[in-house]
């Protein structure tokens, strides 16, 4: 399995785990997910596998570092950048 | 009044009934590890798919549902009309690309009172006016 691809189910699982903590509303219905954060409200039809660019989009738009759950090396990269 | 290449969005509310149209939206398509990623430029929305075609279909269907969601929650699409950040535009202008320009218009009637669509996704010009730009790998 390509390291840069993550299954839809895993992405949904992570969103369900972090949504309440991060003050967002998240709903999943099969391949369709709905993300509500403040005035932002988006619906997505997701494929079985999610590319890294899509995770980066979620990170950027909703300020949810979801990609770090799947690519922990990003944490080290981020830390190095700060220092 | 408007250039053919300019993206436009129209929202005509009438109580609980709404008409929404989106025209000439540019979408950058790129291959990401075998999957396809579609990122809107004038509207900061994205999708993915196993094929380019699937990414386009998911983009269109998801955007339509997002419009519906905004109408239900806010009564308008104002909060949806946010352009993608500079990094996306830099990628669009900086990449070698082939351009597939299509014209897309959708007129969606939605009755929020009955929670039904009076006319569901009636498309007068199917898959037209979303300009999909494919990002190619640098040689």
């Amino acid at each position: 399995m390509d390291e840069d691809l993550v299954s839809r189910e895993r992405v949904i699982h992570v969103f369900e785990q972090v949504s309440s903590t991060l003050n967002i509303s998240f709903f999943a219905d099969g391949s369709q997910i709905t993300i509500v954060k403040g005035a932002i409200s988006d619906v997505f039809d997701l494929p079985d596998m999610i590319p890294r660019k899509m995770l980066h989009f979620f990170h950027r738009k909703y300020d949810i570092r979801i990609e770090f759950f799947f690519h922990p090396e990003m944490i080290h990269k981020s830390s190095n950048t700060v220092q | 009044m408007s250039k053919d290449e300019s993206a436009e969005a129209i929202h005509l509310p009438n109580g609980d009934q709404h008409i929404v149209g989106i025209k000439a939206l540019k979408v950058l398509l790129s291959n990401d590890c075998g999957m396809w990623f579609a990122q809107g430029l004038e509207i900061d929305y994205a999708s993915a798919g196993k094929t380019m075609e699937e990414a386009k279909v998911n983009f269109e269907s998801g955007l339509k549902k997002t419009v519906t969601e905004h109408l239900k929650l806010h009564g308008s699409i104002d909060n949806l009309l946010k352009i993608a950040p500079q990094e996306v535009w830099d990628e669009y202008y900086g990449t070698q690309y082939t351009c597939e320009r299509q014209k897309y218009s959708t007129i969606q009637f939605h009755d929020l009172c009955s929670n039904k669509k009076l006319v569901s996704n009636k498309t007068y010009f199917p898959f037209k006016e979303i300009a999909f730009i494919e990002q190619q790998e640098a040689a």
Side-chain angles (χ1 to χ4, degrees):
Chain A
M1 177 185 291
D2 196 308
E3 289 182 351
D4 289 327
L5 298 178
V6 181
S7 71
R8 179 180 62 219
E9 284 67 34
R10 286 184 65 196
V11 172
I12 289 174
H13 179 73
V14 169
F15 266 115
E16 287 173 339
Q17 295 299 310
V18 305
S19 57
S20 58
T21 305
L22 297 177
N23 202 29
I24 66 169
S25 296
F26 176 79
F27 310 100
D29 181 10
S31 62
Q32 179 179 308
I33 66 171
T34 302
I35 302 172
V36 181
K37 184 178 182 180
I40 301 173
S41 174
D42 294 324
V43 182
F44 300 95
D45 287 324
L46 298 179
D48 295 337
M49 302 301 294
I50 311 301
R52 198 161 183 166
K53 282 191 172 184
M54 194 75 197
L55 299 181
H56 180 71
F57 170 80
F58 289 143
H59 179 172
R60 175 177 61 70
K61 187 160 185 186
Y62 309 110
D63 197 23
I64 300 172
R65 298 193 170 193
I66 190 170
E67 64 183 320
F68 286 176
F69 285 89
F70 306 106
H71 301 290
E73 73 277 7
M74 296 292 294
I75 299 175
H76 299 297
K77 187 183 282 188
S78 174
S79 298
N80 290 336
T81 302
V82 169
Q83 292 180 357
Chain B
M1 186 164 116
S2 63
K3 299 177 183 176
D4 288 339
E5 295 80 11
S6 299
E8 288 186 48
I10 299 172
H11 173 215
L12 302 175
N14 181 21
D16 286 327
Q17 297 177 352
H18 301 260
I19 298 174
V20 174
I22 295 175
K23 173 190 169 187
L25 172 66
K26 290 190 284 292
V27 181
L28 179 64
L29 288 159
S30 56
N31 192 289
D32 185 17
C33 298
M35 298 291 289
W36 284 89
F37 176 71
Q39 164 74 61
L41 297 175
E42 292 91 349
I43 295 178
D44 190 16
Y45 182 82
S47 74
K50 276 180 281 194
T51 64
M52 185 193 299
E53 195 57 38
E54 184 180 273
K56 292 181 185 179
V57 169
N58 287 340
F59 187 95
E60 187 176 19
S61 64
L63 185 58
K64 285 181 185 176
K65 293 172 188 175
T66 298
V67 167
T68 302
E69 196 68 19
H70 274 256
L71 292 177
K72 287 179 184 176
L73 289 176
H74 309 296
S76 76
I77 58 172
D78 292 348
N79 292 318
L80 176 63
L81 302 180
K82 309 292 183 189
I83 64 171
Q86 188 62 45
E87 64 187 65
V88 178
W89 290 86
D90 289 345
E91 185 178 1
Y92 164 65
Y93 283 111
T95 192
Q96 294 292 320
Y97 64 86
T98 58
C99 180
E100 180 184 343
R101 297 192 184 278
Q102 297 175 325
K103 294 283 185 183
Y104 168 78
S105 275
T106 181
I107 299 178
Q108 189 176 52
F109 299 86
H110 200 91
D111 185 345
L112 299 183
C113 186
S114 68
N115 202 32
K116 285 182 184 176
K117 293 178 189 174
L118 296 178
V119 180
S120 63
N121 296 335
K122 191 172 181 75
T123 304
Y124 291 95
F125 305 102
F127 274 88
K128 308 289 182 192
E129 284 196 31
I130 290 184
F132 289 101
I133 300 101
E134 178 186 346
Q135 183 181 39
Q136 284 187 331
E137 294 285 339

